Short mmCIF file of all heavy atoms in Angstrom, two decimals:
data_model
loop_
_atom_site.label_atom_id
_atom_site.label_comp_id
_atom_site.label_asym_id
_atom_site.label_seq_id
_atom_site.Cartn_x
_atom_site.Cartn_y
_atom_site.Cartn_z
N MET A 115 -31.62 -4.46 -88.95
CA MET A 115 -32.87 -4.97 -88.43
C MET A 115 -32.95 -6.49 -88.58
O MET A 115 -33.61 -7.15 -87.79
CB MET A 115 -34.02 -4.27 -89.16
CG MET A 115 -35.33 -4.50 -88.50
SD MET A 115 -35.27 -3.86 -86.83
CE MET A 115 -36.91 -3.40 -86.59
N SER A 116 -32.29 -7.05 -89.57
CA SER A 116 -32.34 -8.49 -89.76
C SER A 116 -31.65 -9.23 -88.61
O SER A 116 -32.04 -10.34 -88.27
CB SER A 116 -31.71 -8.88 -91.09
OG SER A 116 -30.35 -8.54 -91.10
N PHE A 117 -30.62 -8.61 -88.01
CA PHE A 117 -29.95 -9.22 -86.87
C PHE A 117 -30.91 -9.36 -85.70
O PHE A 117 -30.99 -10.41 -85.07
CB PHE A 117 -28.73 -8.39 -86.46
CG PHE A 117 -28.08 -8.88 -85.21
CD1 PHE A 117 -27.27 -10.01 -85.23
CD2 PHE A 117 -28.29 -8.23 -84.01
CE1 PHE A 117 -26.67 -10.47 -84.08
CE2 PHE A 117 -27.69 -8.69 -82.84
CZ PHE A 117 -26.88 -9.81 -82.89
N VAL A 118 -31.65 -8.32 -85.41
CA VAL A 118 -32.60 -8.34 -84.30
C VAL A 118 -33.69 -9.38 -84.57
O VAL A 118 -34.06 -10.14 -83.67
CB VAL A 118 -33.21 -6.94 -84.08
CG1 VAL A 118 -34.32 -6.98 -83.04
CG2 VAL A 118 -32.14 -5.94 -83.69
N THR A 119 -34.17 -9.44 -85.78
CA THR A 119 -35.20 -10.42 -86.13
C THR A 119 -34.67 -11.84 -85.96
O THR A 119 -35.37 -12.70 -85.41
CB THR A 119 -35.67 -10.20 -87.58
OG1 THR A 119 -36.13 -8.85 -87.72
CG2 THR A 119 -36.78 -11.16 -87.95
N ALA A 120 -33.45 -12.08 -86.40
CA ALA A 120 -32.86 -13.41 -86.25
C ALA A 120 -32.70 -13.77 -84.79
O ALA A 120 -32.95 -14.92 -84.40
CB ALA A 120 -31.51 -13.46 -86.97
N GLN A 121 -32.31 -12.81 -83.96
CA GLN A 121 -32.17 -13.08 -82.54
C GLN A 121 -33.52 -13.41 -81.89
O GLN A 121 -33.60 -14.31 -81.05
CB GLN A 121 -31.54 -11.86 -81.83
CG GLN A 121 -30.11 -11.59 -82.24
CD GLN A 121 -29.19 -12.74 -81.91
OE1 GLN A 121 -29.16 -13.23 -80.81
NE2 GLN A 121 -28.44 -13.19 -82.90
N LEU A 122 -34.55 -12.69 -82.27
CA LEU A 122 -35.88 -12.96 -81.72
C LEU A 122 -36.40 -14.32 -82.15
O LEU A 122 -37.01 -15.04 -81.35
CB LEU A 122 -36.85 -11.85 -82.13
CG LEU A 122 -36.60 -10.49 -81.49
CD1 LEU A 122 -37.53 -9.43 -82.10
CD2 LEU A 122 -36.79 -10.55 -79.98
N VAL A 123 -36.18 -14.68 -83.41
CA VAL A 123 -36.62 -16.00 -83.89
C VAL A 123 -35.85 -17.10 -83.17
O VAL A 123 -36.44 -18.10 -82.74
CB VAL A 123 -36.44 -16.09 -85.42
CG1 VAL A 123 -36.62 -17.52 -85.91
CG2 VAL A 123 -37.40 -15.16 -86.12
N ASP A 124 -34.53 -16.93 -83.01
CA ASP A 124 -33.74 -17.93 -82.28
C ASP A 124 -34.17 -18.04 -80.83
O ASP A 124 -34.19 -19.12 -80.25
CB ASP A 124 -32.26 -17.59 -82.36
CG ASP A 124 -31.68 -17.84 -83.75
OD1 ASP A 124 -32.33 -18.54 -84.54
OD2 ASP A 124 -30.58 -17.31 -84.01
N MET A 125 -34.52 -16.91 -80.22
CA MET A 125 -34.93 -16.91 -78.82
C MET A 125 -36.24 -17.70 -78.64
O MET A 125 -36.42 -18.38 -77.63
CB MET A 125 -35.13 -15.47 -78.34
CG MET A 125 -35.53 -15.34 -76.90
SD MET A 125 -35.78 -13.62 -76.42
CE MET A 125 -37.28 -13.24 -77.29
N ALA A 126 -37.11 -17.61 -79.62
CA ALA A 126 -38.42 -18.28 -79.51
C ALA A 126 -38.41 -19.70 -80.05
O ALA A 126 -39.46 -20.34 -80.12
CB ALA A 126 -39.47 -17.45 -80.24
N ALA A 127 -37.26 -20.23 -80.41
CA ALA A 127 -37.18 -21.58 -80.97
C ALA A 127 -37.65 -22.62 -79.95
O ALA A 127 -37.38 -22.48 -78.75
CB ALA A 127 -35.74 -21.88 -81.39
N PRO A 128 -38.33 -23.66 -80.38
CA PRO A 128 -38.82 -24.69 -79.47
C PRO A 128 -37.71 -25.39 -78.69
O PRO A 128 -37.93 -25.87 -77.59
CB PRO A 128 -39.53 -25.68 -80.39
CG PRO A 128 -39.84 -24.92 -81.62
CD PRO A 128 -38.78 -23.87 -81.75
N SER A 129 -36.51 -25.42 -79.22
CA SER A 129 -35.41 -26.09 -78.52
C SER A 129 -34.95 -25.32 -77.29
O SER A 129 -34.20 -25.85 -76.47
CB SER A 129 -34.23 -26.28 -79.48
OG SER A 129 -33.77 -25.03 -79.94
N ASN A 130 -35.40 -24.08 -77.12
CA ASN A 130 -35.01 -23.28 -75.96
C ASN A 130 -35.94 -23.46 -74.76
O ASN A 130 -35.76 -22.81 -73.74
CB ASN A 130 -34.93 -21.80 -76.33
CG ASN A 130 -33.74 -21.51 -77.22
OD1 ASN A 130 -32.73 -22.19 -77.14
ND2 ASN A 130 -33.86 -20.52 -78.07
N PHE A 131 -36.94 -24.31 -74.89
CA PHE A 131 -37.89 -24.54 -73.80
C PHE A 131 -37.87 -26.01 -73.44
O PHE A 131 -37.93 -26.88 -74.31
CB PHE A 131 -39.30 -24.10 -74.23
CG PHE A 131 -39.37 -22.65 -74.60
CD1 PHE A 131 -39.31 -22.25 -75.92
CD2 PHE A 131 -39.47 -21.67 -73.62
CE1 PHE A 131 -39.36 -20.91 -76.27
CE2 PHE A 131 -39.51 -20.34 -73.95
CZ PHE A 131 -39.46 -19.95 -75.28
N ALA A 132 -37.80 -26.32 -72.17
CA ALA A 132 -37.68 -27.70 -71.72
C ALA A 132 -38.86 -28.57 -72.18
O ALA A 132 -38.66 -29.72 -72.56
CB ALA A 132 -37.57 -27.74 -70.20
N ALA A 133 -40.05 -28.01 -72.17
CA ALA A 133 -41.23 -28.81 -72.52
C ALA A 133 -41.29 -29.18 -73.99
O ALA A 133 -41.97 -30.13 -74.37
CB ALA A 133 -42.50 -28.06 -72.14
N THR A 134 -40.55 -28.46 -74.86
CA THR A 134 -40.60 -28.74 -76.29
C THR A 134 -39.24 -29.16 -76.85
O THR A 134 -39.12 -29.36 -78.06
CB THR A 134 -41.10 -27.50 -77.06
OG1 THR A 134 -40.25 -26.39 -76.75
CG2 THR A 134 -42.53 -27.18 -76.70
N ASN A 135 -38.25 -29.35 -76.00
CA ASN A 135 -36.92 -29.76 -76.44
C ASN A 135 -36.82 -31.28 -76.35
O ASN A 135 -36.89 -31.85 -75.26
CB ASN A 135 -35.85 -29.11 -75.57
CG ASN A 135 -34.45 -29.38 -76.05
OD1 ASN A 135 -34.16 -30.44 -76.58
ND2 ASN A 135 -33.58 -28.41 -75.84
N PRO A 136 -36.65 -31.95 -77.48
CA PRO A 136 -36.63 -33.42 -77.45
C PRO A 136 -35.46 -34.00 -76.64
O PRO A 136 -35.60 -35.07 -76.04
CB PRO A 136 -36.52 -33.83 -78.92
CG PRO A 136 -36.20 -32.60 -79.68
CD PRO A 136 -36.55 -31.43 -78.83
N ASP A 137 -34.33 -33.31 -76.59
CA ASP A 137 -33.20 -33.80 -75.78
C ASP A 137 -33.53 -33.76 -74.29
O ASP A 137 -33.21 -34.68 -73.54
CB ASP A 137 -31.94 -32.97 -76.05
CG ASP A 137 -31.40 -33.17 -77.46
OD1 ASP A 137 -31.66 -34.24 -78.03
OD2 ASP A 137 -30.74 -32.25 -77.96
N VAL A 138 -34.17 -32.68 -73.86
CA VAL A 138 -34.56 -32.56 -72.44
C VAL A 138 -35.63 -33.59 -72.10
O VAL A 138 -35.57 -34.22 -71.05
CB VAL A 138 -35.04 -31.13 -72.12
CG1 VAL A 138 -35.58 -31.03 -70.71
CG2 VAL A 138 -33.92 -30.13 -72.33
N ILE A 139 -36.57 -33.77 -72.99
CA ILE A 139 -37.65 -34.73 -72.73
C ILE A 139 -37.09 -36.14 -72.60
O ILE A 139 -37.43 -36.87 -71.65
CB ILE A 139 -38.71 -34.66 -73.84
CG1 ILE A 139 -39.44 -33.31 -73.79
CG2 ILE A 139 -39.72 -35.80 -73.72
CD1 ILE A 139 -40.34 -33.03 -74.97
N SER A 140 -36.19 -36.53 -73.52
CA SER A 140 -35.64 -37.89 -73.44
C SER A 140 -34.76 -38.06 -72.21
O SER A 140 -34.79 -39.12 -71.55
CB SER A 140 -34.87 -38.23 -74.71
OG SER A 140 -33.76 -37.37 -74.87
N ALA A 141 -33.98 -37.04 -71.84
CA ALA A 141 -33.15 -37.13 -70.64
C ALA A 141 -34.01 -37.20 -69.39
O ALA A 141 -33.70 -37.94 -68.44
CB ALA A 141 -32.21 -35.93 -70.55
N THR A 142 -35.12 -36.47 -69.37
CA THR A 142 -36.02 -36.49 -68.21
C THR A 142 -36.66 -37.86 -68.05
O THR A 142 -36.75 -38.38 -66.93
CB THR A 142 -37.10 -35.40 -68.36
OG1 THR A 142 -36.45 -34.13 -68.49
CG2 THR A 142 -38.03 -35.38 -67.17
N LEU A 143 -37.08 -38.45 -69.15
CA LEU A 143 -37.67 -39.78 -69.08
C LEU A 143 -36.63 -40.82 -68.67
O LEU A 143 -36.92 -41.71 -67.86
CB LEU A 143 -38.29 -40.16 -70.43
CG LEU A 143 -39.53 -39.35 -70.83
CD1 LEU A 143 -39.96 -39.71 -72.25
CD2 LEU A 143 -40.66 -39.56 -69.86
N ALA A 144 -35.42 -40.70 -69.19
CA ALA A 144 -34.37 -41.68 -68.88
C ALA A 144 -33.90 -41.57 -67.43
O ALA A 144 -33.56 -42.58 -66.80
CB ALA A 144 -33.17 -41.49 -69.81
N GLN A 145 -33.90 -40.36 -66.88
CA GLN A 145 -33.40 -40.15 -65.52
C GLN A 145 -34.52 -40.05 -64.48
O GLN A 145 -34.26 -39.78 -63.31
CB GLN A 145 -32.54 -38.89 -65.47
CG GLN A 145 -31.32 -38.96 -66.35
CD GLN A 145 -30.53 -37.67 -66.33
OE1 GLN A 145 -30.58 -36.91 -65.38
NE2 GLN A 145 -29.79 -37.42 -67.39
N GLY A 146 -35.73 -40.25 -64.90
CA GLY A 146 -36.84 -40.20 -63.97
C GLY A 146 -37.05 -38.82 -63.35
O GLY A 146 -37.52 -38.70 -62.23
N GLY A 147 -36.70 -37.78 -64.08
CA GLY A 147 -36.90 -36.41 -63.59
C GLY A 147 -35.79 -35.88 -62.71
O GLY A 147 -35.85 -34.75 -62.24
N GLN A 148 -34.76 -36.70 -62.46
CA GLN A 148 -33.67 -36.26 -61.58
C GLN A 148 -32.89 -35.08 -62.18
O GLN A 148 -32.36 -34.26 -61.44
CB GLN A 148 -32.72 -37.42 -61.28
CG GLN A 148 -33.34 -38.47 -60.38
CD GLN A 148 -33.74 -37.88 -59.04
OE1 GLN A 148 -32.95 -37.21 -58.40
NE2 GLN A 148 -34.98 -38.11 -58.64
N ASN A 149 -32.82 -35.00 -63.52
CA ASN A 149 -32.13 -33.87 -64.13
C ASN A 149 -32.85 -32.55 -63.81
O ASN A 149 -32.20 -31.54 -63.56
CB ASN A 149 -31.99 -34.07 -65.64
CG ASN A 149 -33.33 -34.23 -66.34
OD1 ASN A 149 -34.30 -34.68 -65.74
ND2 ASN A 149 -33.36 -33.91 -67.62
N LEU A 150 -34.17 -32.58 -63.79
CA LEU A 150 -34.92 -31.37 -63.45
C LEU A 150 -34.76 -31.02 -61.97
O LEU A 150 -34.68 -29.85 -61.61
CB LEU A 150 -36.40 -31.55 -63.80
CG LEU A 150 -36.70 -31.79 -65.29
CD1 LEU A 150 -38.18 -31.98 -65.49
CD2 LEU A 150 -36.14 -30.70 -66.15
N ALA A 151 -34.72 -32.04 -61.11
CA ALA A 151 -34.51 -31.80 -59.68
C ALA A 151 -33.14 -31.20 -59.43
O ALA A 151 -33.00 -30.26 -58.63
CB ALA A 151 -34.68 -33.10 -58.90
N ARG A 152 -32.10 -31.72 -60.11
CA ARG A 152 -30.75 -31.14 -59.96
C ARG A 152 -30.71 -29.70 -60.45
O ARG A 152 -30.10 -28.83 -59.83
CB ARG A 152 -29.73 -31.98 -60.74
CG ARG A 152 -29.31 -33.25 -60.04
CD ARG A 152 -28.10 -33.89 -60.72
NE ARG A 152 -28.23 -34.03 -62.17
CZ ARG A 152 -28.81 -35.07 -62.77
NH1 ARG A 152 -29.31 -36.07 -62.06
NH2 ARG A 152 -28.88 -35.12 -64.09
N GLY A 153 -31.37 -29.45 -61.57
CA GLY A 153 -31.41 -28.09 -62.11
C GLY A 153 -32.11 -27.13 -61.18
O GLY A 153 -31.67 -26.00 -60.98
N ALA A 154 -33.21 -27.57 -60.57
CA ALA A 154 -33.92 -26.72 -59.61
C ALA A 154 -33.06 -26.45 -58.38
O ALA A 154 -33.05 -25.33 -57.85
CB ALA A 154 -35.24 -27.38 -59.21
N LYS A 155 -32.32 -27.46 -57.93
CA LYS A 155 -31.43 -27.28 -56.78
C LYS A 155 -30.33 -26.27 -57.10
O LYS A 155 -30.03 -25.39 -56.29
CB LYS A 155 -30.82 -28.62 -56.38
CG LYS A 155 -29.89 -28.54 -55.19
CD LYS A 155 -29.32 -29.91 -54.84
CE LYS A 155 -28.37 -29.76 -53.67
NZ LYS A 155 -27.03 -30.11 -53.99
N MET A 156 -29.74 -26.40 -58.30
CA MET A 156 -28.70 -25.46 -58.69
C MET A 156 -29.24 -24.04 -58.83
O MET A 156 -28.58 -23.07 -58.44
CB MET A 156 -28.07 -25.89 -60.01
CG MET A 156 -27.17 -27.10 -59.90
SD MET A 156 -26.38 -27.42 -61.47
CE MET A 156 -26.72 -29.15 -61.65
N LEU A 157 -30.46 -23.90 -59.35
CA LEU A 157 -31.09 -22.59 -59.46
C LEU A 157 -31.29 -21.98 -58.08
O LEU A 157 -30.99 -20.80 -57.87
CB LEU A 157 -32.43 -22.70 -60.19
CG LEU A 157 -33.25 -21.41 -60.26
CD1 LEU A 157 -32.52 -20.34 -61.06
CD2 LEU A 157 -34.62 -21.69 -60.85
N ALA A 158 -31.78 -22.77 -57.13
CA ALA A 158 -31.98 -22.26 -55.77
C ALA A 158 -30.66 -21.84 -55.14
O ALA A 158 -30.59 -20.80 -54.47
CB ALA A 158 -32.67 -23.32 -54.91
N GLU A 159 -29.60 -22.62 -55.36
CA GLU A 159 -28.28 -22.26 -54.82
C GLU A 159 -27.78 -20.96 -55.43
O GLU A 159 -27.24 -20.10 -54.73
CB GLU A 159 -27.28 -23.38 -55.06
CG GLU A 159 -27.52 -24.62 -54.22
CD GLU A 159 -26.65 -25.79 -54.65
OE1 GLU A 159 -25.88 -25.66 -55.64
OE2 GLU A 159 -26.72 -26.84 -53.98
N ASP A 160 -27.94 -20.82 -56.75
CA ASP A 160 -27.51 -19.59 -57.42
C ASP A 160 -28.29 -18.38 -56.92
O ASP A 160 -27.72 -17.30 -56.72
CB ASP A 160 -27.67 -19.72 -58.93
CG ASP A 160 -26.65 -20.66 -59.55
OD1 ASP A 160 -25.66 -21.00 -58.88
OD2 ASP A 160 -26.86 -21.06 -60.71
N MET A 161 -29.59 -18.55 -56.73
CA MET A 161 -30.41 -17.43 -56.26
C MET A 161 -30.03 -17.04 -54.83
O MET A 161 -29.97 -15.86 -54.50
CB MET A 161 -31.89 -17.79 -56.36
CG MET A 161 -32.37 -17.86 -57.80
SD MET A 161 -34.07 -18.41 -57.97
CE MET A 161 -34.94 -17.05 -57.23
N ALA A 162 -29.75 -18.03 -53.98
CA ALA A 162 -29.32 -17.73 -52.61
C ALA A 162 -27.97 -17.04 -52.62
O ALA A 162 -27.73 -16.11 -51.84
CB ALA A 162 -29.26 -19.02 -51.79
N HIS A 163 -27.10 -17.47 -53.50
CA HIS A 163 -25.78 -16.85 -53.62
C HIS A 163 -25.91 -15.40 -54.06
O HIS A 163 -25.25 -14.51 -53.51
CB HIS A 163 -24.92 -17.64 -54.60
CG HIS A 163 -23.54 -17.15 -54.73
ND1 HIS A 163 -22.57 -17.40 -53.79
CD2 HIS A 163 -22.94 -16.39 -55.69
CE1 HIS A 163 -21.45 -16.83 -54.17
NE2 HIS A 163 -21.65 -16.21 -55.32
N GLN A 164 -26.77 -15.13 -55.02
CA GLN A 164 -26.97 -13.78 -55.52
C GLN A 164 -27.65 -12.89 -54.48
O GLN A 164 -27.40 -11.70 -54.44
CB GLN A 164 -27.80 -13.79 -56.80
CG GLN A 164 -27.07 -14.34 -57.99
CD GLN A 164 -25.90 -13.48 -58.41
OE1 GLN A 164 -25.93 -12.26 -58.31
NE2 GLN A 164 -24.84 -14.11 -58.87
N ALA A 165 -28.48 -13.46 -53.66
CA ALA A 165 -29.19 -12.68 -52.65
C ALA A 165 -28.31 -12.34 -51.46
O ALA A 165 -28.72 -11.59 -50.58
CB ALA A 165 -30.42 -13.45 -52.18
N GLY A 166 -27.12 -12.90 -51.41
CA GLY A 166 -26.22 -12.60 -50.30
C GLY A 166 -26.35 -13.56 -49.14
O GLY A 166 -25.68 -13.39 -48.13
N ALA A 167 -27.20 -14.57 -49.29
CA ALA A 167 -27.37 -15.53 -48.20
C ALA A 167 -26.14 -16.42 -48.08
O ALA A 167 -25.85 -16.93 -47.01
CB ALA A 167 -28.62 -16.37 -48.44
N ALA A 168 -25.43 -16.61 -49.16
CA ALA A 168 -24.23 -17.45 -49.15
C ALA A 168 -23.02 -16.58 -49.48
O ALA A 168 -23.09 -15.71 -50.33
CB ALA A 168 -24.37 -18.57 -50.17
N GLN A 169 -21.93 -16.82 -48.80
CA GLN A 169 -20.71 -16.09 -49.07
C GLN A 169 -19.92 -16.79 -50.17
O GLN A 169 -19.88 -18.02 -50.22
CB GLN A 169 -19.85 -16.00 -47.80
CG GLN A 169 -20.49 -15.16 -46.72
CD GLN A 169 -20.61 -13.71 -47.14
OE1 GLN A 169 -19.73 -13.15 -47.78
NE2 GLN A 169 -21.73 -13.10 -46.80
N PRO A 170 -19.28 -16.03 -51.06
CA PRO A 170 -18.47 -16.67 -52.09
C PRO A 170 -17.26 -17.37 -51.51
O PRO A 170 -16.77 -17.02 -50.44
CB PRO A 170 -18.05 -15.51 -53.00
CG PRO A 170 -18.21 -14.29 -52.16
CD PRO A 170 -19.28 -14.60 -51.15
N ASP A 171 -16.80 -18.40 -52.22
CA ASP A 171 -15.62 -19.13 -51.78
C ASP A 171 -14.36 -18.32 -52.08
O ASP A 171 -14.33 -17.52 -52.99
CB ASP A 171 -15.52 -20.47 -52.50
CG ASP A 171 -16.68 -21.37 -52.18
OD1 ASP A 171 -17.25 -21.20 -51.08
OD2 ASP A 171 -17.01 -22.23 -53.01
N GLY A 172 -13.33 -18.55 -51.30
CA GLY A 172 -12.05 -17.92 -51.59
C GLY A 172 -11.64 -16.93 -50.52
O GLY A 172 -12.37 -16.66 -49.57
N PRO A 173 -10.44 -16.34 -50.69
CA PRO A 173 -9.94 -15.39 -49.70
C PRO A 173 -10.70 -14.06 -49.75
O PRO A 173 -11.12 -13.61 -50.80
CB PRO A 173 -8.48 -15.20 -50.11
CG PRO A 173 -8.45 -15.53 -51.56
CD PRO A 173 -9.51 -16.57 -51.78
N HIS A 174 -10.85 -13.46 -48.56
CA HIS A 174 -11.54 -12.17 -48.46
C HIS A 174 -10.75 -11.26 -47.56
O HIS A 174 -10.21 -11.70 -46.56
CB HIS A 174 -12.94 -12.36 -47.87
CG HIS A 174 -13.79 -13.22 -48.71
ND1 HIS A 174 -14.31 -12.83 -49.91
CD2 HIS A 174 -14.19 -14.50 -48.54
CE1 HIS A 174 -15.01 -13.82 -50.43
NE2 HIS A 174 -14.95 -14.84 -49.61
N PRO A 175 -10.69 -10.02 -47.75
CA PRO A 175 -11.02 -9.35 -49.00
C PRO A 175 -9.88 -9.49 -50.00
O PRO A 175 -8.76 -9.82 -49.63
CB PRO A 175 -11.21 -7.90 -48.59
CG PRO A 175 -10.27 -7.74 -47.44
CD PRO A 175 -10.28 -9.07 -46.72
N LEU A 176 -10.16 -9.22 -51.24
CA LEU A 176 -9.11 -9.28 -52.26
C LEU A 176 -8.18 -8.09 -52.09
O LEU A 176 -8.62 -6.95 -51.97
CB LEU A 176 -9.72 -9.26 -53.66
CG LEU A 176 -10.57 -10.48 -54.03
CD1 LEU A 176 -11.18 -10.29 -55.40
CD2 LEU A 176 -9.74 -11.74 -53.99
N ARG A 177 -6.89 -8.36 -52.05
CA ARG A 177 -5.90 -7.31 -51.96
C ARG A 177 -4.94 -7.46 -53.12
O ARG A 177 -4.37 -8.53 -53.34
CB ARG A 177 -5.15 -7.39 -50.63
CG ARG A 177 -6.04 -7.09 -49.43
CD ARG A 177 -5.25 -7.06 -48.13
NE ARG A 177 -4.31 -8.15 -47.96
CZ ARG A 177 -4.60 -9.31 -47.38
NH1 ARG A 177 -5.81 -9.53 -46.92
NH2 ARG A 177 -3.68 -10.26 -47.26
N ARG A 178 -4.73 -6.39 -53.85
CA ARG A 178 -3.87 -6.43 -55.03
C ARG A 178 -2.46 -6.85 -54.65
O ARG A 178 -1.85 -6.27 -53.76
CB ARG A 178 -3.86 -5.08 -55.71
CG ARG A 178 -3.10 -5.10 -56.99
CD ARG A 178 -3.19 -3.79 -57.69
NE ARG A 178 -2.47 -3.89 -58.95
CZ ARG A 178 -2.59 -3.05 -59.93
NH1 ARG A 178 -3.37 -2.03 -59.80
NH2 ARG A 178 -1.90 -3.22 -61.03
N GLY A 179 -1.97 -7.89 -55.31
CA GLY A 179 -0.63 -8.38 -55.08
C GLY A 179 -0.53 -9.39 -53.96
O GLY A 179 0.43 -10.12 -53.87
N ALA A 180 -1.53 -9.44 -53.08
CA ALA A 180 -1.50 -10.39 -51.96
C ALA A 180 -2.43 -11.57 -52.25
O ALA A 180 -1.99 -12.71 -52.37
CB ALA A 180 -1.89 -9.69 -50.66
N THR A 181 -3.72 -11.29 -52.34
CA THR A 181 -4.67 -12.36 -52.62
C THR A 181 -5.19 -12.28 -54.04
O THR A 181 -5.93 -13.15 -54.48
CB THR A 181 -5.87 -12.28 -51.66
OG1 THR A 181 -6.48 -11.00 -51.80
CG2 THR A 181 -5.43 -12.51 -50.23
N TRP A 182 -4.85 -11.23 -54.75
CA TRP A 182 -5.27 -11.05 -56.13
C TRP A 182 -4.03 -10.81 -56.96
O TRP A 182 -3.38 -9.76 -56.83
CB TRP A 182 -6.23 -9.88 -56.23
CG TRP A 182 -6.71 -9.57 -57.60
CD1 TRP A 182 -7.03 -10.44 -58.59
CD2 TRP A 182 -6.93 -8.26 -58.13
NE1 TRP A 182 -7.45 -9.76 -59.69
CE2 TRP A 182 -7.41 -8.42 -59.45
CE3 TRP A 182 -6.80 -6.99 -57.64
CZ2 TRP A 182 -7.72 -7.35 -60.26
CZ3 TRP A 182 -7.12 -5.92 -58.44
CH2 TRP A 182 -7.58 -6.10 -59.74
N PRO A 183 -3.62 -11.78 -57.79
CA PRO A 183 -2.36 -11.62 -58.53
C PRO A 183 -2.46 -10.48 -59.54
O PRO A 183 -3.46 -10.32 -60.23
CB PRO A 183 -2.19 -12.96 -59.23
CG PRO A 183 -3.54 -13.54 -59.30
CD PRO A 183 -4.30 -13.02 -58.13
N SER A 184 -1.43 -9.69 -59.58
CA SER A 184 -1.38 -8.61 -60.56
C SER A 184 0.07 -8.32 -60.90
O SER A 184 0.95 -8.39 -60.04
CB SER A 184 -2.07 -7.36 -60.02
OG SER A 184 -1.38 -6.87 -58.91
N PRO A 185 0.33 -7.99 -62.13
CA PRO A 185 1.70 -7.66 -62.53
C PRO A 185 2.08 -6.28 -62.00
O PRO A 185 1.21 -5.50 -61.62
CB PRO A 185 1.63 -7.67 -64.06
CG PRO A 185 0.21 -7.33 -64.37
CD PRO A 185 -0.60 -7.95 -63.26
N PRO A 186 3.35 -5.98 -61.99
CA PRO A 186 3.76 -4.63 -61.58
C PRO A 186 3.11 -3.58 -62.49
O PRO A 186 2.92 -3.81 -63.68
CB PRO A 186 5.27 -4.65 -61.75
CG PRO A 186 5.67 -6.07 -61.85
CD PRO A 186 4.48 -6.81 -62.33
N ALA A 187 2.78 -2.46 -61.91
CA ALA A 187 2.12 -1.40 -62.67
C ALA A 187 3.11 -0.76 -63.63
O ALA A 187 4.26 -0.52 -63.30
CB ALA A 187 1.55 -0.36 -61.73
N ARG A 188 2.65 -0.51 -64.82
CA ARG A 188 3.44 0.20 -65.82
C ARG A 188 2.58 1.33 -66.36
O ARG A 188 1.43 1.12 -66.71
CB ARG A 188 3.83 -0.73 -66.97
CG ARG A 188 4.79 -1.79 -66.54
CD ARG A 188 5.24 -2.58 -67.75
NE ARG A 188 6.04 -3.70 -67.27
CZ ARG A 188 6.13 -4.84 -67.87
NH1 ARG A 188 5.47 -5.06 -68.98
NH2 ARG A 188 6.89 -5.82 -67.39
N TRP A 189 3.14 2.49 -66.42
CA TRP A 189 2.40 3.64 -66.90
C TRP A 189 2.85 3.93 -68.32
O TRP A 189 4.02 3.89 -68.64
CB TRP A 189 2.64 4.85 -66.00
CG TRP A 189 2.07 4.62 -64.65
CD1 TRP A 189 2.71 4.11 -63.57
CD2 TRP A 189 0.74 4.85 -64.25
NE1 TRP A 189 1.86 4.01 -62.51
CE2 TRP A 189 0.63 4.45 -62.90
CE3 TRP A 189 -0.39 5.33 -64.89
CZ2 TRP A 189 -0.55 4.56 -62.20
CZ3 TRP A 189 -1.57 5.44 -64.18
CH2 TRP A 189 -1.64 5.05 -62.85
N CYS A 190 1.91 4.25 -69.13
CA CYS A 190 2.21 4.57 -70.52
C CYS A 190 1.53 5.89 -70.84
O CYS A 190 0.33 6.07 -70.62
CB CYS A 190 1.69 3.47 -71.44
SG CYS A 190 1.97 3.83 -73.18
N PHE A 191 2.30 6.82 -71.35
CA PHE A 191 1.74 8.11 -71.74
C PHE A 191 1.96 8.26 -73.23
O PHE A 191 3.07 8.15 -73.72
CB PHE A 191 2.43 9.24 -70.97
CG PHE A 191 1.89 10.60 -71.33
CD1 PHE A 191 0.67 11.01 -70.84
CD2 PHE A 191 2.60 11.43 -72.17
CE1 PHE A 191 0.18 12.25 -71.17
CE2 PHE A 191 2.11 12.68 -72.50
CZ PHE A 191 0.88 13.09 -72.01
N ALA A 192 0.89 8.47 -73.93
CA ALA A 192 0.99 8.63 -75.38
C ALA A 192 0.15 9.82 -75.81
O ALA A 192 -0.93 10.06 -75.29
CB ALA A 192 0.51 7.38 -76.09
N THR A 193 0.67 10.56 -76.73
CA THR A 193 -0.10 11.65 -77.32
C THR A 193 -0.43 11.30 -78.75
O THR A 193 0.37 10.66 -79.46
CB THR A 193 0.71 12.97 -77.28
OG1 THR A 193 1.92 12.77 -77.99
CG2 THR A 193 0.96 13.40 -75.86
N ILE A 194 -1.59 11.68 -79.14
CA ILE A 194 -2.02 11.35 -80.49
C ILE A 194 -1.95 12.56 -81.37
O ILE A 194 -2.17 13.64 -81.03
CB ILE A 194 -3.47 10.79 -80.48
CG1 ILE A 194 -3.47 9.53 -79.65
CG2 ILE A 194 -3.96 10.53 -81.86
CD1 ILE A 194 -4.83 8.93 -79.45
#
């Protein structure tokens, strides 16, 4: 139970929120808010990617041994 309590306390720490994190506040003041704008842009891109609006980069479809590297198959049979 102490592990769960420690995780909950760490989750609620002030450093995990932008409005109460001194590093984020100083970076925001120094960059004129551009760090928050970049973060919002990246969030929007990630959400569009997850929603299927954007296709992932790379070869499609993945084929074992052709576009997806894989070693030769080896079978192992063991009895316990």
Side-chain angles (χ1 to χ4, degrees):
M115 193 60 150
S116 63
F117 174 77
V118 173
T119 303
Q121 294 299 309
L122 291 174
V123 169
D124 288 344
M125 181 181 71
S129 60
N130 289 331
F131 300 98
T134 56
N135 186 326
D137 293 334
V138 174
I139 293 170
S140 62
T142 302
L143 292 174
Q145 298 177 26
Q148 290 300 310
N149 59 333
L150 299 179
R152 282 191 310 274
K155 180 180 179 243
M156 287 185 230
L157 175 64
E159 289 171 357
D160 288 346
M161 290 175 67
H163 183 77
Q164 289 294 326
Q169 293 295 321
D171 297 334
H174 299 288
L176 294 176
R177 293 185 315 270
R178 185 176 182 165
T181 58
W182 178 38
S184 64
R188 292 186 187 150
W189 294 92
C190 178
F191 180 76
T193 58
I194 298 175

